[in-house]
Amino acid sequence: MSLKEKKRASGFKMWSLIWGLGLAGQICWNMENQWFNTFVYTKIAKDPSIVTGMLICSALATTFATFFFGTWADRTGKRRKFIAIGYILWGIFTIGFGLTEFISKDMYMLAAISVVVADTIMSFFGSMGNDAGFNTWTTDILTDKNRGQIGAALATQPVLGTILGTVVGGLIVGENDNYMRLFVVMGVAVIIFGIASMIFLTEADDVEPYKNGSFLKQFLSVFNFKDFIKQKELLLVSIGVMIFFIGFNVYFAYIGNYIIYYLGYTADQMGIIEAVPLVLSMILAIPASMLINRNKHHLVSVTAIILNVIGLAILAPITPDMVDTSNIFNLRIWVGIFFVGAGYITILQTTKVWSKQLFPQTSKGQFEGIWILFFVLFPMIGGSLVGEAVVKQTGETFINELSGKAEYIPNGNIYLYGIIFVVLSAVPFLMTLKEFKKRTALEK
């Protein structure tokens, strides 16, 4: 095989793994973020407190695993085994999560605690494979020539994961609410890609093991935020991401239950209602990628915020009497989701590449953990607490005649409160201009 042919084969393998592992991971994350919540409402109880417990414990497990395995990966200079083992165990515990369905509803506390624990374990290994392993590997292979394309791939994968996870998930769950079938299918898919990574993934050539004293010393060193705070541009980008995704978590955790239990659609209908507008919104990843390659991160970020706010403002006033559940096409809902998706995909696309450019060369795995703090932990804790309060205080409340327990259904107020945080996120992004210009001037 000629050198040219080897490079072509290597490129094909790299992009196959980027898309295969990325999509498998995002479909599984989507299932956790969306179907786990509808599973709880359907099989356990319509109680946002359980959803909040899942989100917070999952975020804590995700963050710890990213720091722990990120440090380990930096010390070895290898990512493949973390991706492979993490994905395989992720798939196994995804299937295990579904077994909580068989706990009797009469044992409410046991069922609620089991759901939270199972989700936490699944998230721990998911983060090992996806956050500490796969995401760090994509940082390793990032260059000036491919940063826009990799950024577009990493940004569109959550949307594609949402589309595939929601549509296919809805079809698998079906009208008879067969969630166990969904967890088995998704779990097996993730296991297969974990095995594939063990066989086909190639480490980046220029990554060397980085050891800074003992493992414990190096692990704890990332919590010394003095060096992180000194990087003002990265700090401000991270704060902007945190605020935006607090708003995102206020509404996204409940969007499935909003469509099913408030508007009255079925699970399979919900999949199509979310998927089609999101597919259309992906087209914006192309111009965004071009702007990112030209370092126009600020323009993309502010545009994303505007688009997201427009979508949330369109969705907020919709009530059940404004929809016909026999017809999945509702122009207002579809347009709203289109703008929400457009904002989400473009903010994710630019901030992932933007932050990765600022990670220290020797500590990319650990700094992936810092990213998780601002992208996952703080937003999921803050957003879930705000979201629960919004649903309980301003949503629709009913008393279950059989159990006597209160049931809480989310309404359009989840979008209104989401808008507040999304708008505020523009401030730190704009504040980076001075540091951004200083850095890019030095790079010329």
Side-chain angles (χ1 to χ4, degrees):
M1 183 182 287
S2 68
L3 179 61
K4 186 176 181 180
E5 288 172 327
K6 286 181 180 178
K7 287 183 177 179
R8 187 184 302 122
S10 176
F12 174 78
K13 184 171 68 173
M14 180 191 78
W15 282 106
S16 296
L17 287 167
I18 286 174
W19 280 102
L21 290 166
L23 272 179
Q26 290 302 326
I27 289 172
C28 208
W29 283 136
N30 166 260
M31 183 177 62
E32 179 182 9
N33 294 332
Q34 186 152 265
W35 290 112
F36 278 21
N37 300 331
T38 59
F39 168 84
V40 166
Y41 263 53
T42 303
K43 301 294 184 178
I44 309 298
K46 296 178 179 62
D47 185 353
S49 298
I50 302 176
V51 175
T52 299
M54 289 169 58
L55 288 172
I56 291 176
C57 291
S58 172
L60 289 168
T62 296
T63 304
F64 176 79
T66 304
F67 277 122
F68 181 82
F69 292 112
T71 302
W72 193 349
D74 283 339
R75 289 175 67 85
T76 62
K78 305 295 182 182
R79 320 295 185 191
R80 183 172 61 182
K81 66 180 180 181
F82 297 98
I83 297 172
I85 296 171
Y87 268 66
I88 291 169
L89 292 175
W90 194 8
I92 290 172
F93 283 101
T94 295
I95 297 171
F97 177 88
L99 298 176
T100 60
E101 173 183 343
F102 302 105
I103 299 174
S104 171
K105 285 189 176 182
D106 294 334
M107 305 173 71
Y108 173 78
M109 286 303 298
L110 176 62
I113 292 171
S114 298
V115 164
V116 173
V117 171
D119 184 32
T120 302
I121 295 172
M122 195 207 82
S123 297
F124 179 82
F125 289 111
S127 187
M128 174 188 177
N130 190 256
D131 297 315
F134 172 74
N135 284 338
T136 307
W137 176 68
T138 60
T139 305
D140 291 340
I141 61 176
L142 200 67
T143 67
D144 289 340
K145 292 182 179 180
N146 65 21
R147 67 185 178 191
Q149 291 85 349
I150 289 180
L154 296 178
T156 54
Q157 284 169 3
V159 179
L160 283 172
T162 299
I163 293 165
L164 294 173
T166 305
V167 174
V168 177
L171 293 174
I172 294 173
V173 172
E175 294 184 0
N176 62 342
D177 294 327
N178 193 334
Y179 281 87
M180 190 65 217
R181 184 167 56 198
L182 170 67
F183 300 145
V184 169
V185 171
M186 296 300 188
V188 169
V190 172
I191 292 171
I192 289 171
F193 278 102
I195 295 171
S197 69
M198 180 66 78
I199 300 170
F200 299 111
L201 188 139
T202 302
E203 304 282 0
D205 294 331
D206 59 347
V207 177
E208 298 291 337
Y210 174 69
K211 294 184 178 181
N212 181 19
S214 67
F215 179 89
L216 182 61
K217 177 185 176 183
Q218 189 167 341
F219 173 71
L220 294 176
S221 69
V222 78
F223 296 97
N224 181 358
F225 289 102
K226 290 181 180 178
D227 292 336
F228 174 67
I229 293 172
K230 288 177 183 177
Q231 300 187 59
K232 293 182 181 178
E233 186 181 350
L234 179 58
L235 175 63
L236 289 169
V237 172
S238 301
I239 291 172
V241 167
M242 177 188 71
I243 298 172
F244 182 94
F245 281 97
I246 286 176
F248 175 82
N249 280 288
V250 168
Y251 65 84
F252 188 76
Y254 295 100
I255 194 169
N257 288 324
Y258 161 84
I259 293 174
I260 295 172
Y261 293 104
Y262 180 64
L263 297 184
Y265 290 101
T266 60
D268 50 344
Q269 288 177 316
M270 182 198 77
I272 299 172
I273 290 169
E274 282 194 43
V276 176
L278 287 173
V279 169
L280 297 174
S281 71
M282 285 174 55
I283 193 67
L284 291 180
I286 299 173
S289 178
M290 297 176 182
L291 290 170
I292 290 168
N293 278 338
R294 293 165 54 195
N295 276 330
K296 301 293 184 181
H297 301 299
H298 297 88
L299 177 59
V300 178
S301 298
V302 173
T303 302
I305 289 168
I306 293 171
L307 292 173
N308 197 256
V309 168
I310 291 172
L312 295 173
I314 291 171
L315 291 173
I318 299 175
T319 55
D321 61 323
M322 297 168 65
V323 304
D324 175 9
T325 55
S326 66
N327 180 10
I328 60 171
F329 179 74
N330 181 295
L331 181 61
R332 190 163 183 171
I333 296 175
W334 284 38
V335 170
I337 293 175
F338 170 83
F339 278 104
V340 168
Y344 167 68
I345 188 173
T346 47
I347 197 77
L348 194 61
Q349 183 178 354
T350 193
T351 54
K352 276 204 168 187
V353 173
W354 194 354
S355 61
K356 284 176 183 289
Q357 287 177 272
L358 304 173
F359 287 177
Q361 182 67 24
T362 57
S363 311
K364 288 180 284 190
Q366 285 179 292
F367 268 72
E368 197 69 53
I370 291 179
W371 169 261
I372 290 296
L373 283 178
F374 290 89
F375 178 55
V376 176
L377 182 64
F378 300 149
M380 287 184 74
I381 291 177
S384 63
L385 290 172
V386 173
E388 179 186 351
V390 171
V391 173
K392 284 188 172 181
Q393 299 300 320
T394 70
E396 309 296 315
T397 304
F398 305 93
I399 301 298
N400 187 303
E401 294 181 0
L402 295 176
S403 66
K405 296 182 180 296
E407 296 183 341
Y408 304 95
I409 308 299
N411 58 21
N413 287 324
I414 55 175
Y415 305 116
L416 291 177
Y417 282 86
I419 287 175
I420 296 172
F421 291 96
V422 172
V423 171
L424 288 175
S425 70
V427 176
F429 286 127
L430 294 174
M431 288 174 64
T432 63
L433 272 169
K434 180 180 178 181
E435 297 300 322
F436 177 80
K437 289 178 180 178
K438 187 189 302 182
R439 174 176 61 84
T440 52
L442 292 173
E443 291 175 353
K444 290 180 180 178

